[in-house]
Amino acid sequence: PGADRYLGGSPTDFTGDGKDDIVTFTRGNLNDAYVATSTGSSFAGTSIKWNDFFGLNGETLLTGDFNGDGRDDIVAFTHGTLADVYVSLSTGNSFAPSSKWHDWFAPAAEVAAVGDINGDGKDDIITFTHDTNADVYVALSTGTSFAGTAIKWHDYFSIAGEFPALGDVNGDGKDDIITFT
């Protein structure tokens, strides 16, 4: 798993200046995170190491503003039997050391996603079971963790072979679930 996971885009404004930056996760033996910030017409200089250990092989790595401070952070879904979720918050010029924000989310080969589904300005985590049950579970961000046990928000959505995604399709300030068949 890992290379065959379905991944949609996620926001990457790590500095909070309104321009999306780019991030690279080295994985392998180093597991570093590098960022090149946007100038609006190019990416500044060479990429700079923002975190010294984040994102192991097989984990899903995404981004989102999990604490609502206007800067996008990074998140790792470990999957497997641990199914932990780690977040590393952006300081504007680096990612702070990661901490566990959820203890059981997106196990096995579930498809993890990020979006602000309740419109509170903090990105939440979503998982699509992507199997014959096709359930969708959510854990809302509190700003310092993802709240409690994941809650089923939809009973049948995005079966295996479909591409799940999120976006605010009706403009109400809350991200909606989307699937491409």
Side-chain angles (χ1 to χ4, degrees):
D4 59 347
R5 294 196 189 282
Y6 294 76
L7 298 175
S10 54
T12 57
D13 180 8
F14 303 118
T15 61
D17 64 0
K19 297 183 281 280
D20 280 338
D21 310 302
I22 53 176
V23 61
T24 298
F25 300 100
T26 61
R27 301 204 192 215
N29 295 330
L30 298 176
N31 301 313
D32 297 326
Y34 286 87
V35 170
T37 57
S38 175
T39 67
S41 59
S42 67
F43 294 103
T46 58
S47 59
I48 298 169
K49 188 188 299 186
W50 275 40
N51 188 291
D52 199 30
F53 189 82
F54 193 85
L56 303 176
N57 290 339
E59 295 181 351
T60 297
L61 307 177
L62 296 172
T63 60
D65 183 4
F66 303 110
N67 61 354
D69 68 355
R71 294 185 302 256
D72 289 314
D73 314 300
I74 52 178
V75 60
F77 299 87
T78 65
H79 299 289
T81 56
L82 292 178
D84 293 328
V85 180
Y86 288 89
V87 170
S88 182
L89 297 173
S90 174
T91 67
N93 57 21
S94 69
F95 296 119
S98 65
S99 61
K100 188 189 297 187
W101 276 42
H102 203 279
D103 198 34
W104 180 256
F105 196 84
E110 291 186 9
V111 179
V114 169
D116 182 6
I117 61 165
N118 62 353
D120 68 353
K122 295 184 289 286
D123 281 325
D124 311 299
I125 53 175
I126 299 91
T127 189
F128 300 85
T129 62
H130 221 236
D131 56 14
T132 54
N133 293 329
D135 293 327
V136 180
Y137 289 90
V138 170
L140 298 174
S141 176
T142 67
T144 57
S145 69
F146 298 112
T149 305
I151 299 169
K152 187 191 295 189
W153 274 45
H154 202 286
D155 205 23
Y156 190 80
F157 194 85
S158 195
I159 59 173
E162 294 183 358
F163 184 93
L166 282 102
D168 182 4
V169 297
N170 62 354
D172 67 355
K174 300 175 197 157
D175 284 331
D176 310 299
I177 54 175
I178 305 159
T179 195
F180 298 89
T181 61

